[in-house]
Amino acid sequence: MQKFLAFIIITILPFLAVADGYPINKSIDIKHYSFKLSLFDSTDEIVGEAQITIQLKREGIQSFRLDLASQTEERKGKGMKVKAILLGNQSLRFSHDKDELVIQLPAASTAGTEISIHILYQGVPFDGLRIGATKFGDRSFFNENWPNRTRHWLPTIDHPYDKATSEFIVTAPAKYKVVSNGLLLEESYLGNNLKLTHWKQSVPVSSWLFVLGVAEFAVQYVDQFKGKSIETWVYSKNREAGFYDFKEPTKKVLEFYSKYVGPFAYEKLANIQTPSVNGGMETSSAIFYGEDLVNGKRDERTRNIVIHEIAHQWFGNAVTETTWDDAWLSEGFATYFTLLFIENEYGKAEFDKGIQKAKKAVFDMSVKMPQFSIVSDRTAEKEVVTTGLTYQKGAWVLHMLRNLVGDASFQKGIQVYYAKYFNANTTTDQFREEMEKASGKDLKQFFKQWLYQPINPTINANWDFDSKQKKLVIDLSQTQVGDIIFDLPIEIACYTKGSDIPQFLKVQLNMREQKFTFPYSGVPEKIVVDPNNRLLSSINYTN
């Protein structure tokens, strides 16, 4: 076995590129996963058969790897055990160790060949698939794949760079209803108190967006959006409260993002109650919400989580970061687009409240995480790939970008970016390039200063008035720690004695300290730097 494993490693390593700590293999492309799973009330063991369609993109491939959690002593025997791997009727050699499943092909590949392999496996999931009680004490099965826990119950490429279509064919005790990605193709009673449920998603997604919920559900078909079903799946014992909570504002959110960004990618939109997450999880077409969010009050927190997770169907799901380095393309976008919907639906004052709350969160978290850059080398294989800064500062970067390039160019850039990378993967640089084309601006410095280093600007403001020459002198200095000097467009509101209506001035601060002189009629009483809250900066006034 050791010789065989060494041979496999030698043959596959030339085709791997390590990105964010993960061995990306561009020589293969998973086209489709079909998972047949058997679930039981008598045991937490699952029995699985994965049929995986793979395109071998280059000549000479002799083996490839997938992710699948191994059974180990540290996991107390939990994990998956592979029984066999088949190509047609032919058994394939494989090794399964340290959560890597390496599969040997019977012959070197021809470029462009597609093969379909069957992996037979079983075991008790250590993670990824939560098997246990709901808050009502009823047995249930719910997954939580993010960011790299799909491997604990499904053999996959457990990384966002690879997208594939999928289907789940689940056999479970007949009392359960089963929900998954895509469209329901079959629900059949098999006898012996068993039921088979078959879901299929024909839109490719990264494997962490696969979803499975198995519980005693109450199901409501709420409405349709452009012919696609809007559904609510909640525990039967939460039926009335859950149906009420999730009825709004799903359709309005789908309509807004479809108009502002581009088409909704998936075949349905289901809101699902689960014990496997606390807030929400944006699994494609079938979104999970923590079970305690269902309270029959349709409160603001639940509402905003629903908006955020639906926003992810566009950003994170349909357009997905290539590596975890760029996770803000998912979380920062969903956070800001939540605020954009709020602005559109509930008014500018609600948007302003949300963006100010996000600013405070950024400043508070930056004290605790002074070295955290939004874009940086990080890997889900070894570390946490997002923090609250990914969400809140990521949202603020988009807020400043929108104000820098203007509403029309911002929306145009978003729409072109979405269309270009629809159902594909992207990077921060590719997003920047599309925004540069849309706006006609060079945005390299903007992206560099806000995303690739952790410091936020601090501005000290001082002013003086020469009454004889009628000139207002404003002194601005950057006092943040470190060597970074920001290039900042700054708006200043100047208030004249006896008037509540300010005069607005615009300056570009790109040095440690700069003085700006303006002719000024009347007698100034005070100035306000960044009066419309468009700059992520602490501002101190020295007079």
Side-chain angles (χ1 to χ4, degrees), residues 14 26 84 138 166 213 222 239 250 292 368 396 434 469 477:
K26 290 293 187 178
D138 298 321
S166 62
V222 180
R239 173 184 171 276
T250 298
D292 291 332
K368 299 174 183 177
W396 253 93
E434 296 310 316
Q469 298 190 41
S477 59

Side-chain angles (χ1 to χ4, degrees), residues 368-411:
K368 299 174 183 177
M369 295 175 280
Q371 300 304 316
F372 187 87
S373 301
I374 300 304
V375 179
S376 183
D377 293 334
R378 49 181 66 100
T379 172
E381 305 303 309
K382 296 180 180 179
E383 62 194 322
V384 174
V385 293
T386 63
T387 71
L389 285 168
T390 315
Y391 294 68
Q392 306 303 335
K393 187 172 180 179
W396 253 93
V397 170
L398 292 175
H399 180 56
M400 291 185 289
L401 180 62
R402 176 188 173 198
N403 283 287
L404 178 64
V405 304
D407 286 348
S409 292
F410 181 78
Q411 185 175 1

Side-chain angles (χ1 to χ4, degrees), residues 454-496:
I455 305 300
N456 301 311
T458 299
I459 297 172
N460 284 359
N462 185 19
W463 65 274
D464 195 9
F465 180 62
D466 186 332
S467 58
K468 291 182 179 180
Q469 298 190 41
K470 296 290 184 179
K471 289 185 177 179
L472 175 65
V473 180
I474 299 174
D475 188 342
L476 300 179
S477 59
Q478 300 189 41
T479 61
Q480 63 273 359
V481 298
D483 297 329
I484 178 76
I485 303 294
F486 285 83
D487 188 359
L488 304 173
I490 298 177
E491 185 179 53
I492 303 170
C494 304
Y495 288 84
T496 303

Side-chain angles (χ1 to χ4, degrees), residues 414-463:
I414 289 291
Q415 290 178 344
V416 173
Y417 166 73
Y418 182 74
K420 185 171 183 177
Y421 297 104
F422 184 69
N423 290 333
N425 295 88
T426 188
T427 66
T428 296
D429 278 343
Q430 289 169 330
F431 171 61
R432 174 184 53 77
E433 288 166 2
E434 296 310 316
M435 296 307 294
E436 287 180 334
K437 292 174 188 175
S439 66
K441 293 180 179 290
D442 185 339
L443 299 172
K444 294 182 184 66
Q445 177 61 27
F446 175 89
F447 275 70
K448 180 181 178 181
Q449 68 188 17
W450 291 113
L451 292 170
Y452 292 89
Q453 63 84 36
I455 305 300
N456 301 311
T458 299
I459 297 172
N460 284 359
N462 185 19
W463 65 274

Side-chain angles (χ1 to χ4, degrees), residues 209-225:
L209 293 167
F210 296 161
V211 62
L212 181 66
V214 181
E216 295 177 65
F217 281 117
V219 183
Q220 183 182 46
Y221 295 91
V222 180
D223 204 340
Q224 286 198 341
F225 172 70

Side-chain angles (χ1 to χ4, degrees), residues 355-363 396 530 533 535-537:
I355 204 70
Q356 179 58 35
K357 184 179 178 182
K359 175 184 272 191
K360 183 180 184 304
V362 171
F363 291 155
W396 253 93
D530 188 33
N533 206 17
L535 184 64
L536 185 60
S537 174

Side-chain angles (χ1 to χ4, degrees), residues 25 90 123-124 144 179 230 246 248 257 405 460 495 502 514 538:
N25 185 359
Q90 184 177 3
V124 177
E144 174 49 281
V179 64
I230 298 173
F246 289 126
E248 293 288 346
Y257 293 139
V405 304
N460 284 359
Y495 288 84
Q514 287 173 261
S538 300

Side-chain angles (χ1 to χ4, degrees), residues 519-542:
Y520 198 87
S521 58
V523 179
E525 185 174 38
K526 68 174 181 178
I527 68 168
V528 178
V529 177
D530 188 33
N532 292 304
N533 206 17
R534 295 172 177 171
L535 184 64
L536 185 60
S537 174
S538 300
I539 299 169
N540 304 310
Y541 297 92
T542 57

